């Protein structure tokens, strides 16, 4: 809950003094559906697990992380790189859902090109300079795309993913999630 509050994506939360999370907000979040990744047409998708925005001193961006106080350009710069990841694997998914506390709050597309920071081996970090912000939320309880993507496919992907739940596990900011969940079905032998 603290991550959601720190990003500004949950309205009506009183942060001064004793923190209050309204019951209606909790109920709305509990009712958010799981992301249906099976329609993406790939076997897996990378997920950027973000935190609240943090000011940085870098030549190509002022912030890292997700926050509703950032404008669209700041948000795109804050979310489009430098992560330890397998860039080809990220690009193969064609879409990068951005989650905060397991909820999709932004969607990046245009991941076909990447740059390395020049570090060799597992410490190498990558960014995606052609990434596009297909969508982002300013209110998780009433998800509506705050971006106006020019590309119809970007708008469709954002509409499909924004505000949904998307569980992912990783030791870093990038996780990889299968798009076709396995089912535990067993057939009786001899039938």
């Amino acid at each position: 809950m603290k991550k959601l509050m720190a990003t500004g994506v949950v309205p009506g939360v009183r942060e001064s003094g004793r923190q209050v999370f309204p019951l209606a907000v909790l109920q709305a979040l509990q009712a958010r559906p799981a992301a249906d990744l099976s329609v993406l047409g790939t076997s897996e998708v990378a997920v950027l697990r973000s935190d609240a925005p943090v000011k940085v001193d870098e030549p190509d961006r002022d912030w890292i992380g997700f926050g509703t106080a950032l404008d669209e350009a700041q948000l795109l710069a804050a979310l489009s790189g430098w992560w330890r990841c397998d860039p080809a694997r990220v690009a193969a998914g064609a879409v990068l859902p951005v989650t905060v506390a397991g909820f999709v709050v932004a969607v990046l597309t245009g991941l076909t090109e990447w740059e390395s920071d020049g570090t060799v081996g597992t410490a190498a970090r990558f960014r995606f300079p052609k990434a596009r912000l297909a969508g982002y939320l300013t209110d998780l309880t009433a998800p509506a795309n705050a971006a106006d993507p020019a590309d119809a496919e970007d708008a469709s992907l954002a509409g499909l993913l924004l505000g949904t739940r998307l569980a992912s596990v990783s030791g870093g900011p990038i996780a990889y999630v299968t798009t076709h969940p396995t089912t535990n079905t067993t057939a009786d032998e001899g039938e």
Side-chain angles (χ1 to χ4, degrees):
M1 292 300 168
K2 288 182 180 180
K3 280 187 178 189
L4 290 174
M5 291 168 45
T7 63
V9 78
V10 180
V13 176
R14 189 176 79 207
E15 295 186 54
S16 60
R18 189 171 152 173
Q19 293 179 337
V20 176
F21 217 92
L23 178 60
V25 171
L26 286 173
Q27 290 170 330
L29 295 180
Q30 185 178 28
R32 298 304 315 143
D36 179 8
L37 302 179
S38 65
V39 299
L40 295 179
T42 60
S43 60
E44 76 175 359
V45 66
V47 175
L48 174 58
R49 302 166 64 236
S50 187
D51 209 338
V54 175
K55 189 89 168 138
V56 294
D57 184 22
E58 297 179 8
D60 57 345
R61 62 184 176 177
D62 296 323
W63 299 92
I64 57 172
F66 176 86
T68 59
L70 301 179
D71 66 34
E72 231 172 285
Q74 290 172 320
L75 195 55
L76 177 58
L79 299 174
S80 60
W82 297 103
W83 323 297
R84 288 185 181 136
C85 65
D86 178 341
R89 202 170 164 191
V90 172
V95 61
L96 183 67
V98 178
T99 62
V100 171
F103 292 96
V104 179
V105 295
V107 176
L108 296 177
T109 58
L111 307 166
T112 56
E113 296 178 23
W114 56 87
E115 298 174 351
S116 170
D117 67 354
T119 307
V120 179
T122 59
R125 293 175 186 264
F126 298 89
R127 78 175 183 133
F128 296 81
K130 303 278 183 175
R132 297 184 305 272
L133 188 60
Y136 68 99
L137 297 178
T138 58
D139 181 348
L140 183 57
T141 62
N145 193 348
D148 187 19
D151 185 286
E153 188 173 332
D154 284 2
S156 177
L157 284 170
L160 174 74
L161 295 170
L162 286 172
T164 61
R165 293 173 179 261
L166 181 52
S168 61
V169 178
S170 173
I174 297 289
Y176 301 94
V177 176
T178 182
T179 59
H180 300 288
T182 58
T183 56
N184 290 333
T185 57
T186 58
D188 291 331
E189 289 186 28
E191 287 188 16

